[in-house]
């Protein structure tokens, strides 16, 4: 069960329950992968970038599923 005090959220996707959290490590990995700061990533998200949405989902999955690839996150 997700711990909302830690910012965790459970979602159901493709018949699986996924636990998402944007921890500091997840945000750092997101920035590394994007080559941009979190603020720049969020600007891209506001502009409607699907690649950015996939990247954020990937990063949020990494704490509980570290082997997840970007393709799997999509």
């Amino acid at each position: 069960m997700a711990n909302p005090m830690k910012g965790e959220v459970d979602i159901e996707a493709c018949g699986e329950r996924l636990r998402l959290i944007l921890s500091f490590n997840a945000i750092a990995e997101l920035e590394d992968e994007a080559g941009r700061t979190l603020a720049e990533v969020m600007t891209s998200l506001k502009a409607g970038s699907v690649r950015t949405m996939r990247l954020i989902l990937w990063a949020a999955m990494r704490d509980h599923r570290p082997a997840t690839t970007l393709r799997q996150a999509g």
Side-chain angles (χ1 to χ4, degrees), residues 35-71:
R36 297 176 283 164
T37 66
L38 180 59
E40 293 167 328
V41 168
M42 296 312 290
T43 297
S44 177
L45 180 64
K46 282 194 248 179
S49 171
V50 173
R51 290 184 314 197
T52 299
M53 285 187 262
R54 179 182 70 168
L55 184 60
I56 292 169
L57 180 59
W58 168 81
M61 292 172 69
R62 304 267 301 155
D63 278 12
H64 293 283
R65 293 176 178 237
T68 299
T69 66
L70 274 172
R71 182 143 182 92

PDB file of all heavy atoms in Angstrom, residues 35-71:
ATOM      1  N   GLY A  35      18.793  15.749 -19.278  1.00  0.00           N
ATOM      2  CA  GLY A  35      19.825  16.746 -19.548  1.00  0.00           C
ATOM      3  C   GLY A  35      19.331  18.161 -19.265  1.00  0.00           C
ATOM      4  O   GLY A  35      19.839  19.129 -19.824  1.00  0.00           O
ATOM      5  N   ARG A  36      18.313  18.250 -18.400  1.00  0.00           N
ATOM      6  CA  ARG A  36      17.700  19.539 -18.057  1.00  0.00           C
ATOM      7  C   ARG A  36      17.391  19.553 -16.569  1.00  0.00           C
ATOM      8  O   ARG A  36      17.305  18.514 -15.936  1.00  0.00           O
ATOM      9  CB  ARG A  36      16.394  19.735 -18.831  1.00  0.00           C
ATOM     10  CG  ARG A  36      16.587  19.789 -20.325  1.00  0.00           C
ATOM     11  CD  ARG A  36      15.264  19.894 -21.054  1.00  0.00           C
ATOM     12  NE  ARG A  36      14.639  18.565 -21.072  1.00  0.00           N
ATOM     13  CZ  ARG A  36      13.366  18.350 -21.355  1.00  0.00           C
ATOM     14  NH1 ARG A  36      12.556  19.343 -21.622  1.00  0.00           N
ATOM     15  NH2 ARG A  36      12.878  17.125 -21.369  1.00  0.00           N
ATOM     16  N   THR A  37      17.169  20.741 -16.027  1.00  0.00           N
ATOM     17  CA  THR A  37      16.778  20.865 -14.628  1.00  0.00           C
ATOM     18  C   THR A  37      15.304  20.484 -14.480  1.00  0.00           C
ATOM     19  O   THR A  37      14.565  20.427 -15.466  1.00  0.00           O
ATOM     20  CB  THR A  37      16.946  22.310 -14.119  1.00  0.00           C
ATOM     21  OG1 THR A  37      16.020  23.155 -14.815  1.00  0.00           O
ATOM     22  CG2 THR A  37      18.380  22.809 -14.294  1.00  0.00           C
ATOM     23  N   LEU A  38      14.882  20.265 -13.245  1.00  0.00           N
ATOM     24  CA  LEU A  38      13.481  19.938 -12.986  1.00  0.00           C
ATOM     25  C   LEU A  38      12.571  21.065 -13.482  1.00  0.00           C
ATOM     26  O   LEU A  38      11.520  20.810 -14.073  1.00  0.00           O
ATOM     27  CB  LEU A  38      13.245  19.672 -11.497  1.00  0.00           C
ATOM     28  CG  LEU A  38      11.821  19.321 -11.097  1.00  0.00           C
ATOM     29  CD1 LEU A  38      11.336  18.071 -11.830  1.00  0.00           C
ATOM     30  CD2 LEU A  38      11.711  19.144  -9.591  1.00  0.00           C
ATOM     31  N   ALA A  39      12.972  22.311 -13.278  1.00  0.00           N
ATOM     32  CA  ALA A  39      12.161  23.448 -13.746  1.00  0.00           C
ATOM     33  C   ALA A  39      12.001  23.409 -15.261  1.00  0.00           C
ATOM     34  O   ALA A  39      10.905  23.654 -15.783  1.00  0.00           O
ATOM     35  CB  ALA A  39      12.799  24.760 -13.307  1.00  0.00           C
ATOM     36  N   GLU A  40      13.065  23.084 -15.977  1.00  0.00           N
ATOM     37  CA  GLU A  40      12.990  22.986 -17.435  1.00  0.00           C
ATOM     38  C   GLU A  40      12.113  21.817 -17.869  1.00  0.00           C
ATOM     39  O   GLU A  40      11.349  21.919 -18.830  1.00  0.00           O
ATOM     40  CB  GLU A  40      14.390  22.850 -18.028  1.00  0.00           C
ATOM     41  CG  GLU A  40      15.241  24.095 -17.854  1.00  0.00           C
ATOM     42  CD  GLU A  40      16.708  23.870 -18.147  1.00  0.00           C
ATOM     43  OE1 GLU A  40      17.223  22.755 -17.913  1.00  0.00           O
ATOM     44  OE2 GLU A  40      17.352  24.827 -18.599  1.00  0.00           O
ATOM     45  N   VAL A  41      12.216  20.706 -17.140  1.00  0.00           N
ATOM     46  CA  VAL A  41      11.367  19.547 -17.432  1.00  0.00           C
ATOM     47  C   VAL A  41       9.902  19.909 -17.239  1.00  0.00           C
ATOM     48  O   VAL A  41       9.052  19.564 -18.063  1.00  0.00           O
ATOM     49  CB  VAL A  41      11.769  18.338 -16.546  1.00  0.00           C
ATOM     50  CG1 VAL A  41      10.740  17.226 -16.618  1.00  0.00           C
ATOM     51  CG2 VAL A  41      13.146  17.825 -16.938  1.00  0.00           C
ATOM     52  N   MET A  42       9.585  20.613 -16.164  1.00  0.00           N
ATOM     53  CA  MET A  42       8.199  20.978 -15.897  1.00  0.00           C
ATOM     54  C   MET A  42       7.659  21.952 -16.950  1.00  0.00           C
ATOM     55  O   MET A  42       6.482  21.877 -17.317  1.00  0.00           O
ATOM     56  CB  MET A  42       8.068  21.578 -14.487  1.00  0.00           C
ATOM     57  CG  MET A  42       8.410  20.577 -13.380  1.00  0.00           C
ATOM     58  SD  MET A  42       7.618  18.964 -13.560  1.00  0.00           S
ATOM     59  CE  MET A  42       5.937  19.376 -13.222  1.00  0.00           C
ATOM     60  N   THR A  43       8.501  22.830 -17.464  1.00  0.00           N
ATOM     61  CA  THR A  43       8.084  23.721 -18.550  1.00  0.00           C
ATOM     62  C   THR A  43       7.721  22.902 -19.779  1.00  0.00           C
ATOM     63  O   THR A  43       6.710  23.156 -20.442  1.00  0.00           O
ATOM     64  CB  THR A  43       9.197  24.738 -18.883  1.00  0.00           C
ATOM     65  OG1 THR A  43       9.419  25.548 -17.733  1.00  0.00           O
ATOM     66  CG2 THR A  43       8.824  25.619 -20.060  1.00  0.00           C
ATOM     67  N   SER A  44       8.525  21.885 -20.065  1.00  0.00           N
ATOM     68  CA  SER A  44       8.256  20.994 -21.194  1.00  0.00           C
ATOM     69  C   SER A  44       6.950  20.227 -20.969  1.00  0.00           C
ATOM     70  O   SER A  44       6.167  20.031 -21.897  1.00  0.00           O
ATOM     71  CB  SER A  44       9.423  20.029 -21.371  1.00  0.00           C
ATOM     72  OG  SER A  44       9.180  19.113 -22.388  1.00  0.00           O
ATOM     73  N   LEU A  45       6.711  19.816 -19.735  1.00  0.00           N
ATOM     74  CA  LEU A  45       5.473  19.102 -19.412  1.00  0.00           C
ATOM     75  C   LEU A  45       4.262  20.009 -19.647  1.00  0.00           C
ATOM     76  O   LEU A  45       3.271  19.588 -20.240  1.00  0.00           O
ATOM     77  CB  LEU A  45       5.504  18.603 -17.966  1.00  0.00           C
ATOM     78  CG  LEU A  45       4.284  17.839 -17.495  1.00  0.00           C
ATOM     79  CD1 LEU A  45       4.114  16.545 -18.280  1.00  0.00           C
ATOM     80  CD2 LEU A  45       4.391  17.547 -16.000  1.00  0.00           C
ATOM     81  N   LYS A  46       4.362  21.256 -19.194  1.00  0.00           N
ATOM     82  CA  LYS A  46       3.259  22.207 -19.385  1.00  0.00           C
ATOM     83  C   LYS A  46       2.971  22.442 -20.862  1.00  0.00           C
ATOM     84  O   LYS A  46       1.838  22.730 -21.237  1.00  0.00           O
ATOM     85  CB  LYS A  46       3.571  23.533 -18.696  1.00  0.00           C
ATOM     86  CG  LYS A  46       3.370  23.500 -17.199  1.00  0.00           C
ATOM     87  CD  LYS A  46       3.353  24.909 -16.647  1.00  0.00           C
ATOM     88  CE  LYS A  46       4.577  25.133 -15.799  1.00  0.00           C
ATOM     89  NZ  LYS A  46       4.671  26.468 -15.245  1.00  0.00           N
ATOM     90  N   ALA A  47       4.001  22.318 -21.693  1.00  0.00           N
ATOM     91  CA  ALA A  47       3.830  22.503 -23.135  1.00  0.00           C
ATOM     92  C   ALA A  47       3.192  21.279 -23.787  1.00  0.00           C
ATOM     93  O   ALA A  47       2.876  21.298 -24.970  1.00  0.00           O
ATOM     94  CB  ALA A  47       5.178  22.804 -23.783  1.00  0.00           C
ATOM     95  N   GLY A  48       3.004  20.199 -23.010  1.00  0.00           N
ATOM     96  CA  GLY A  48       2.313  19.017 -23.517  1.00  0.00           C
ATOM     97  C   GLY A  48       3.209  17.937 -24.096  1.00  0.00           C
ATOM     98  O   GLY A  48       2.737  17.091 -24.854  1.00  0.00           O
ATOM     99  N   SER A  49       4.487  17.914 -23.747  1.00  0.00           N
ATOM    100  CA  SER A  49       5.413  16.921 -24.285  1.00  0.00           C
ATOM    101  C   SER A  49       5.112  15.520 -23.762  1.00  0.00           C
ATOM    102  O   SER A  49       5.169  15.256 -22.559  1.00  0.00           O
ATOM    103  CB  SER A  49       6.854  17.290 -23.919  1.00  0.00           C
ATOM    104  OG  SER A  49       7.733  16.233 -24.250  1.00  0.00           O
ATOM    105  N   VAL A  50       4.801  14.615 -24.679  1.00  0.00           N
ATOM    106  CA  VAL A  50       4.555  13.224 -24.308  1.00  0.00           C
ATOM    107  C   VAL A  50       5.850  12.570 -23.831  1.00  0.00           C
ATOM    108  O   VAL A  50       5.842  11.774 -22.893  1.00  0.00           O
ATOM    109  CB  VAL A  50       3.943  12.443 -25.495  1.00  0.00           C
ATOM    110  CG1 VAL A  50       3.834  10.963 -25.182  1.00  0.00           C
ATOM    111  CG2 VAL A  50       2.588  13.016 -25.847  1.00  0.00           C
ATOM    112  N   ARG A  51       6.971  12.903 -24.464  1.00  0.00           N
ATOM    113  CA  ARG A  51       8.265  12.347 -24.023  1.00  0.00           C
ATOM    114  C   ARG A  51       8.540  12.725 -22.579  1.00  0.00           C
ATOM    115  O   ARG A  51       9.044  11.909 -21.802  1.00  0.00           O
ATOM    116  CB  ARG A  51       9.399  12.846 -24.914  1.00  0.00           C
ATOM    117  CG  ARG A  51       9.372  12.281 -26.301  1.00  0.00           C
ATOM    118  CD  ARG A  51      10.545  12.726 -27.107  1.00  0.00           C
ATOM    119  NE  ARG A  51      10.729  14.164 -26.938  1.00  0.00           N
ATOM    120  CZ  ARG A  51      11.446  14.927 -27.738  1.00  0.00           C
ATOM    121  NH1 ARG A  51      12.072  14.414 -28.761  1.00  0.00           N
ATOM    122  NH2 ARG A  51      11.566  16.215 -27.516  1.00  0.00           N
ATOM    123  N   THR A  52       8.189  13.953 -22.205  1.00  0.00           N
ATOM    124  CA  THR A  52       8.402  14.396 -20.829  1.00  0.00           C
ATOM    125  C   THR A  52       7.479  13.648 -19.876  1.00  0.00           C
ATOM    126  O   THR A  52       7.912  13.245 -18.787  1.00  0.00           O
ATOM    127  CB  THR A  52       8.209  15.920 -20.715  1.00  0.00           C
ATOM    128  OG1 THR A  52       9.167  16.566 -21.560  1.00  0.00           O
ATOM    129  CG2 THR A  52       8.392  16.392 -19.287  1.00  0.00           C
ATOM    130  N   MET A  53       6.235  13.438 -20.266  1.00  0.00           N
ATOM    131  CA  MET A  53       5.316  12.663 -19.418  1.00  0.00           C
ATOM    132  C   MET A  53       5.865  11.262 -19.181  1.00  0.00           C
ATOM    133  O   MET A  53       5.850  10.761 -18.061  1.00  0.00           O
ATOM    134  CB  MET A  53       3.935  12.580 -20.068  1.00  0.00           C
ATOM    135  CG  MET A  53       3.146  13.849 -19.974  1.00  0.00           C
ATOM    136  SD  MET A  53       1.457  13.626 -20.567  1.00  0.00           S
ATOM    137  CE  MET A  53       1.606  14.240 -22.216  1.00  0.00           C
ATOM    138  N   ARG A  54       6.354  10.625 -20.248  1.00  0.00           N
ATOM    139  CA  ARG A  54       6.926   9.280 -20.119  1.00  0.00           C
ATOM    140  C   ARG A  54       8.156   9.302 -19.213  1.00  0.00           C
ATOM    141  O   ARG A  54       8.328   8.421 -18.367  1.00  0.00           O
ATOM    142  CB  ARG A  54       7.293   8.745 -21.500  1.00  0.00           C
ATOM    143  CG  ARG A  54       7.912   7.355 -21.435  1.00  0.00           C
ATOM    144  CD  ARG A  54       8.320   6.858 -22.787  1.00  0.00           C
ATOM    145  NE  ARG A  54       9.470   7.609 -23.291  1.00  0.00           N
ATOM    146  CZ  ARG A  54      10.179   7.249 -24.334  1.00  0.00           C
ATOM    147  NH1 ARG A  54       9.861   6.175 -25.020  1.00  0.00           N
ATOM    148  NH2 ARG A  54      11.202   7.968 -24.721  1.00  0.00           N
ATOM    149  N   LEU A  55       8.993  10.310 -19.344  1.00  0.00           N
ATOM    150  CA  LEU A  55      10.199  10.417 -18.535  1.00  0.00           C
ATOM    151  C   LEU A  55       9.861  10.573 -17.054  1.00  0.00           C
ATOM    152  O   LEU A  55      10.480   9.945 -16.195  1.00  0.00           O
ATOM    153  CB  LEU A  55      11.046  11.591 -19.022  1.00  0.00           C
ATOM    154  CG  LEU A  55      12.393  11.788 -18.348  1.00  0.00           C
ATOM    155  CD1 LEU A  55      13.291  10.570 -18.537  1.00  0.00           C
ATOM    156  CD2 LEU A  55      13.070  13.030 -18.887  1.00  0.00           C
ATOM    157  N   ILE A  56       8.854  11.377 -16.738  1.00  0.00           N
ATOM    158  CA  ILE A  56       8.446  11.565 -15.345  1.00  0.00           C
ATOM    159  C   ILE A  56       7.876  10.265 -14.780  1.00  0.00           C
ATOM    160  O   ILE A  56       8.193   9.883 -13.650  1.00  0.00           O
ATOM    161  CB  ILE A  56       7.445  12.735 -15.218  1.00  0.00           C
ATOM    162  CG1 ILE A  56       8.153  14.050 -15.534  1.00  0.00           C
ATOM    163  CG2 ILE A  56       6.816  12.764 -13.826  1.00  0.00           C
ATOM    164  CD1 ILE A  56       7.221  15.239 -15.692  1.00  0.00           C
ATOM    165  N   LEU A  57       7.059   9.580 -15.550  1.00  0.00           N
ATOM    166  CA  LEU A  57       6.524   8.290 -15.110  1.00  0.00           C
ATOM    167  C   LEU A  57       7.657   7.310 -14.852  1.00  0.00           C
ATOM    168  O   LEU A  57       7.690   6.631 -13.824  1.00  0.00           O
ATOM    169  CB  LEU A  57       5.546   7.734 -16.143  1.00  0.00           C
ATOM    170  CG  LEU A  57       4.917   6.387 -15.819  1.00  0.00           C
ATOM    171  CD1 LEU A  57       4.142   6.444 -14.516  1.00  0.00           C
ATOM    172  CD2 LEU A  57       4.019   5.937 -16.953  1.00  0.00           C
ATOM    173  N   TRP A  58       8.617   7.247 -15.770  1.00  0.00           N
ATOM    174  CA  TRP A  58       9.786   6.357 -15.617  1.00  0.00           C
ATOM    175  C   TRP A  58      10.527   6.674 -14.323  1.00  0.00           C
ATOM    176  O   TRP A  58      10.829   5.772 -13.539  1.00  0.00           O
ATOM    177  CB  TRP A  58      10.701   6.533 -16.830  1.00  0.00           C
ATOM    178  CG  TRP A  58      12.042   5.905 -16.688  1.00  0.00           C
ATOM    179  CD1 TRP A  58      12.355   4.586 -16.875  1.00  0.00           C
ATOM    180  CD2 TRP A  58      13.263   6.548 -16.325  1.00  0.00           C
ATOM    181  NE1 TRP A  58      13.688   4.387 -16.656  1.00  0.00           N
ATOM    182  CE2 TRP A  58      14.273   5.575 -16.318  1.00  0.00           C
ATOM    183  CE3 TRP A  58      13.595   7.861 -16.016  1.00  0.00           C
ATOM    184  CZ2 TRP A  58      15.597   5.873 -16.001  1.00  0.00           C
ATOM    185  CZ3 TRP A  58      14.910   8.158 -15.700  1.00  0.00           C
ATOM    186  CH2 TRP A  58      15.887   7.176 -15.701  1.00  0.00           C
ATOM    187  N   ALA A  59      10.804   7.949 -14.098  1.00  0.00           N
ATOM    188  CA  ALA A  59      11.539   8.343 -12.895  1.00  0.00           C
ATOM    189  C   ALA A  59      10.761   7.989 -11.629  1.00  0.00           C
ATOM    190  O   ALA A  59      11.343   7.512 -10.647  1.00  0.00           O
ATOM    191  CB  ALA A  59      11.855   9.840 -12.935  1.00  0.00           C
ATOM    192  N   ALA A  60       9.447   8.197 -11.654  1.00  0.00           N
ATOM    193  CA  ALA A  60       8.612   7.911 -10.479  1.00  0.00           C
ATOM    194  C   ALA A  60       8.528   6.416 -10.178  1.00  0.00           C
ATOM    195  O   ALA A  60       8.283   6.022  -9.035  1.00  0.00           O
ATOM    196  CB  ALA A  60       7.214   8.485 -10.678  1.00  0.00           C
ATOM    197  N   MET A  61       8.753   5.576 -11.190  1.00  0.00           N
ATOM    198  CA  MET A  61       8.703   4.121 -10.997  1.00  0.00           C
ATOM    199  C   MET A  61      10.008   3.565 -10.434  1.00  0.00           C
ATOM    200  O   MET A  61      10.039   2.469  -9.873  1.00  0.00           O
ATOM    201  CB  MET A  61       8.425   3.430 -12.338  1.00  0.00           C
ATOM    202  CG  MET A  61       7.053   3.689 -12.897  1.00  0.00           C
ATOM    203  SD  MET A  61       6.859   3.055 -14.578  1.00  0.00           S
ATOM    204  CE  MET A  61       6.886   1.289 -14.280  1.00  0.00           C
ATOM    205  N   ARG A  62      11.118   4.284 -10.570  1.00  0.00           N
ATOM    206  CA  ARG A  62      12.451   3.745 -10.326  1.00  0.00           C
ATOM    207  C   ARG A  62      12.722   3.323  -8.883  1.00  0.00           C
ATOM    208  O   ARG A  62      13.487   2.390  -8.667  1.00  0.00           O
ATOM    209  CB  ARG A  62      13.506   4.740 -10.788  1.00  0.00           C
ATOM    210  CG  ARG A  62      13.361   5.147 -12.230  1.00  0.00           C
ATOM    211  CD  ARG A  62      14.137   4.348 -13.191  1.00  0.00           C
ATOM    212  NE  ARG A  62      15.544   4.416 -12.867  1.00  0.00           N
ATOM    213  CZ  ARG A  62      16.398   3.487 -13.217  1.00  0.00           C
ATOM    214  NH1 ARG A  62      16.012   2.437 -13.880  1.00  0.00           N
ATOM    215  NH2 ARG A  62      17.670   3.597 -12.890  1.00  0.00           N
ATOM    216  N   ASP A  63      12.138   3.982  -7.903  1.00  0.00           N
ATOM    217  CA  ASP A  63      12.404   3.586  -6.507  1.00  0.00           C
ATOM    218  C   ASP A  63      11.934   2.159  -6.224  1.00  0.00           C
ATOM    219  O   ASP A  63      12.585   1.423  -5.492  1.00  0.00           O
ATOM    220  CB  ASP A  63      11.739   4.551  -5.527  1.00  0.00           C
ATOM    221  CG  ASP A  63      12.550   5.806  -5.278  1.00  0.00           C
ATOM    222  OD1 ASP A  63      13.522   6.059  -6.025  1.00  0.00           O
ATOM    223  OD2 ASP A  63      12.213   6.556  -4.342  1.00  0.00           O
ATOM    224  N   HIS A  64      10.803   1.778  -6.802  1.00  0.00           N
ATOM    225  CA  HIS A  64      10.236   0.457  -6.534  1.00  0.00           C
ATOM    226  C   HIS A  64      10.485  -0.541  -7.668  1.00  0.00           C
ATOM    227  O   HIS A  64      10.312  -1.744  -7.472  1.00  0.00           O
ATOM    228  CB  HIS A  64       8.736   0.565  -6.241  1.00  0.00           C
ATOM    229  CG  HIS A  64       8.464   1.293  -4.958  1.00  0.00           C
ATOM    230  ND1 HIS A  64       8.623   0.703  -3.721  1.00  0.00           N
ATOM    231  CD2 HIS A  64       8.085   2.561  -4.712  1.00  0.00           C
ATOM    232  CE1 HIS A  64       8.349   1.582  -2.784  1.00  0.00           C
ATOM    233  NE2 HIS A  64       8.014   2.714  -3.357  1.00  0.00           N
ATOM    234  N   ARG A  65      10.877  -0.052  -8.832  1.00  0.00           N
ATOM    235  CA  ARG A  65      11.176  -0.903  -9.997  1.00  0.00           C
ATOM    236  C   ARG A  65      12.404  -0.346 -10.706  1.00  0.00           C
ATOM    237  O   ARG A  65      12.304   0.226 -11.795  1.00  0.00           O
ATOM    238  CB  ARG A  65       9.988  -0.932 -10.955  1.00  0.00           C
ATOM    239  CG  ARG A  65       8.776  -1.634 -10.384  1.00  0.00           C
ATOM    240  CD  ARG A  65       7.632  -1.527 -11.375  1.00  0.00           C
ATOM    241  NE  ARG A  65       6.490  -2.242 -10.862  1.00  0.00           N
ATOM    242  CZ  ARG A  65       5.882  -3.218 -11.501  1.00  0.00           C
ATOM    243  NH1 ARG A  65       6.291  -3.598 -12.686  1.00  0.00           N
ATOM    244  NH2 ARG A  65       4.842  -3.817 -10.973  1.00  0.00           N
ATOM    245  N   PRO A  66      13.575  -0.504 -10.100  1.00  0.00           N
ATOM    246  CA  PRO A  66      14.781   0.139 -10.643  1.00  0.00           C
ATOM    247  C   PRO A  66      15.200  -0.344 -12.029  1.00  0.00           C
ATOM    248  O   PRO A  66      15.910   0.370 -12.730  1.00  0.00           O
ATOM    249  CB  PRO A  66      15.860  -0.172  -9.602  1.00  0.00           C
ATOM    250  CG  PRO A  66      15.334  -1.292  -8.792  1.00  0.00           C
ATOM    251  CD  PRO A  66      13.841  -1.224  -8.862  1.00  0.00           C
ATOM    252  N   ALA A  67      14.760  -1.508 -12.455  1.00  0.00           N
ATOM    253  CA  ALA A  67      15.156  -2.025 -13.767  1.00  0.00           C
ATOM    254  C   ALA A  67      14.242  -1.536 -14.900  1.00  0.00           C
ATOM    255  O   ALA A  67      14.470  -1.859 -16.064  1.00  0.00           O
ATOM    256  CB  ALA A  67      15.177  -3.545 -13.742  1.00  0.00           C
ATOM    257  N   THR A  68      13.230  -0.735 -14.570  1.00  0.00           N
ATOM    258  CA  THR A  68      12.281  -0.259 -15.575  1.00  0.00           C
ATOM    259  C   THR A  68      12.992   0.597 -16.615  1.00  0.00           C
ATOM    260  O   THR A  68      13.768   1.493 -16.282  1.00  0.00           O
ATOM    261  CB  THR A  68      11.172   0.568 -14.914  1.00  0.00           C
ATOM    262  OG1 THR A  68      10.478  -0.250 -13.983  1.00  0.00           O
ATOM    263  CG2 THR A  68      10.175   1.085 -15.931  1.00  0.00           C
ATOM    264  N   THR A  69      12.709   0.325 -17.873  1.00  0.00           N
ATOM    265  CA  THR A  69      13.271   1.123 -18.972  1.00  0.00           C
ATOM    266  C   THR A  69      12.273   2.213 -19.367  1.00  0.00           C
ATOM    267  O   THR A  69      11.088   2.149 -19.014  1.00  0.00           O
ATOM    268  CB  THR A  69      13.545   0.250 -20.201  1.00  0.00           C
ATOM    269  OG1 THR A  69      12.288  -0.236 -20.721  1.00  0.00           O
ATOM    270  CG2 THR A  69      14.459  -0.930 -19.874  1.00  0.00           C
ATOM    271  N   LEU A  70      12.764   3.183 -20.117  1.00  0.00           N
ATOM    272  CA  LEU A  70      11.866   4.225 -20.626  1.00  0.00           C
ATOM    273  C   LEU A  70      10.768   3.616 -21.483  1.00  0.00           C
ATOM    274  O   LEU A  70       9.608   4.001 -21.388  1.00  0.00           O
ATOM    275  CB  LEU A  70      12.646   5.235 -21.465  1.00  0.00           C
ATOM    276  CG  LEU A  70      13.299   6.370 -20.707  1.00  0.00           C
ATOM    277  CD1 LEU A  70      14.207   7.174 -21.637  1.00  0.00           C
ATOM    278  CD2 LEU A  70      12.268   7.275 -20.078  1.00  0.00           C
ATOM    279  N   ARG A  71      11.133   2.655 -22.298  1.00  0.00           N
ATOM    280  CA  ARG A  71      10.146   2.001 -23.183  1.00  0.00           C
ATOM    281  C   ARG A  71       9.054   1.324 -22.349  1.00  0.00           C
ATOM    282  O   ARG A  71       7.874   1.424 -22.673  1.00  0.00           O
ATOM    283  CB  ARG A  71      10.843   0.998 -24.080  1.00  0.00           C
ATOM    284  CG  ARG A  71       9.889   0.334 -25.034  1.00  0.00           C
ATOM    285  CD  ARG A  71      10.550   0.105 -26.383  1.00  0.00           C
ATOM    286  NE  ARG A  71       9.636  -0.485 -27.314  1.00  0.00           N
ATOM    287  CZ  ARG A  71       8.879   0.201 -28.149  1.00  0.00           C
ATOM    288  NH1 ARG A  71       8.930   1.507 -28.151  1.00  0.00           N
ATOM    289  NH2 ARG A  71       8.067  -0.403 -28.979  1.00  0.00           N
TER     290      ARG A  71
END
